[in-house]
Amino acid sequence: MPVTKNEQDEGDGGALHHVQGAASFSKFMTVLQIIADAPGMLNIAQLTKRAPFPRGTIYRLVSALIAEGLVTQSGENGTFRLGPRLLQFAAKTWEDSDLRTIARDFLVSLRDATDETVHLAVPSNNRMVYIDKLVGSNRVQMKTSIGGQVELHSTSVGKAWLSGLPDERLLDVIKGLDLKRYTAKTFTTPAALLDELKRTREQGFAFDDEENEPDIRCFGSPIFNRSREPIGAVSISMPVYRHDERRHELCGRLVRETAQLISAELSRML
């Protein structure tokens, strides 16, 4: 149910400036983190069960976060997600990120070699966030944007990043995922996803075969830092009608090689 002014109640108002000091800031951050960890999954009743604050305080905090554009609430089911203002803040950081800067020339080369949409993504709260995007010359393009968030289990960038995790951490991450079905091809059980990630490791790239949205196929490969920790992924995306056996082999090889080059450059420079 939507948060209303009456529900804020408890006599202390709903404006952000009415909550002062470090303790209050910590409360805002706690609520933000709970929402970030379960985007689109918690309504106000469920949020009050998870947040360690009185009900009236939670209503007040959420209302203030919504008013500031830091949280949005779905009109359909009343669940919460991080808001556009947070994504704007993040985008300004990504513009200056070392990974984005180092990867840019390699992404340009990959885009030019395939004439397809190329993405660079990093993990964030059990999702992947696009921090760069380059498009080819084709008229049919991906409807994605920098700052957009996508799932780990149903996308090439997500599966690529997962495949780079050590086994113990991989199992922990998968336990925390909501393996939601987006198409008939989405992997929706841990066992099926683990089998897919095994194939991803063996071939060096992930293949999204219309698993996130119909008529779109993507190739993704993990980017590692000097410590061999996966810190992101690069991908190539295309409509099904431009995908065939020859392009499959070409794009798989190119996305794998590009991720390796970016990883090597990261290790050299950072």
Side-chain angles (χ1 to χ4, degrees):
M1 59 181 289
V3 176
T4 66
K5 186 172 181 59
N6 288 338
E7 287 171 327
Q8 296 165 23
D9 65 23
E10 321 255 331
D12 45 13
L16 183 60
H17 66 272
H18 285 174
V19 184
Q20 303 287 341
S24 296
F25 179 77
S26 178
K27 292 178 182 178
F28 278 109
M29 293 304 297
T30 297
V31 172
L32 272 177
Q33 189 65 60
I34 293 171
I35 293 171
D37 289 342
M41 297 171 60
L42 303 177
N43 58 29
I44 189 64
Q46 294 163 328
L47 185 60
T48 57
K49 293 179 181 179
R50 295 199 183 189
F53 311 125
R55 178 177 170 181
T57 298
I58 296 170
Y59 281 127
R60 183 178 73 252
L61 294 171
V62 171
S63 295
L65 289 168
I66 291 174
E68 294 292 338
L70 301 176
V71 165
T72 60
Q73 186 175 25
S74 168
E76 182 178 343
N77 55 20
T79 58
F80 301 104
R81 287 185 179 274
L82 297 184
R85 194 173 179 189
L86 272 178
L87 297 179
Q88 291 168 7
F89 291 155
K92 291 182 182 299
T93 300
W94 297 328
E95 287 176 358
D96 296 325
S97 75
D98 289 330
L99 175 57
R100 189 174 188 269
T101 301
I102 291 170
R104 188 35 110 90
D105 287 345
F106 298 106
L107 298 181
V108 170
S109 295
L110 182 61
R111 186 273 314 275
D112 292 347
T114 61
D115 200 25
E116 299 291 354
T117 300
V118 171
H119 292 101
L120 179 68
V122 295
S124 177
N125 296 311
N126 277 352
R127 304 188 92 197
M128 297 295 286
V129 179
Y130 293 130
I131 65 172
D132 208 352
K133 174 184 178 182
L134 288 78
V135 300
S137 64
N138 295 289
R139 294 180 62 183
V140 178
Q141 299 291 346
M142 294 285 294
K143 295 179 180 179
T144 54
S145 60
I146 295 176
Q149 300 183 57
V150 293
E151 303 294 342
L152 293 178
H153 70 289
S154 60
T155 63
S156 67
V157 288
K159 292 191 297 181
W161 180 76
L162 286 171
S163 74
L165 295 174
D167 289 343
E168 184 175 353
R169 187 176 175 210
L170 173 61
L171 293 174
D172 285 341
V173 171
I174 289 179
K175 287 178 183 178
L177 297 182
D178 174 21
L179 301 180
K180 181 179 178 180
R181 181 179 297 281
Y182 290 96
T183 74
K185 295 185 176 182
T186 307
F187 295 99
T188 58
T189 66
L193 180 57
L194 286 169
D195 285 343
E196 170 69 359
L197 295 177
K198 181 181 178 182
R199 287 189 291 271
T200 298
R201 285 176 173 176
E202 290 172 350
Q203 63 192 9
F205 65 89
F207 180 51
D208 166 9
D209 184 15
E210 300 180 82
E211 296 155 38
N212 197 60
E213 56 182 305
D215 302 320
I216 298 294
R217 288 176 175 157
C218 307
F219 301 78
S221 194
I223 297 170
F224 296 91
N225 62 15
R226 182 179 296 178
S227 301
R228 293 300 299 169
E229 300 167 330
I231 60 170
V234 60
S235 72
I236 304 167
S237 303
M238 67 187 70
V240 168
Y241 76 87
R242 289 205 296 266
H243 175 263
D244 56 28
E245 185 176 348
R246 183 190 67 81
R247 295 213 17 109
H248 186 97
E249 182 179 349
L250 173 68
C251 291
R253 175 176 60 82
L254 289 177
V255 77
R256 181 178 63 237
E257 291 175 353
T258 299
Q260 291 170 346
L261 289 170
I262 296 171
S263 299
E265 190 71 3
L266 281 170
S267 295
R268 186 180 71 83
M269 297 185 66
L270 299 179

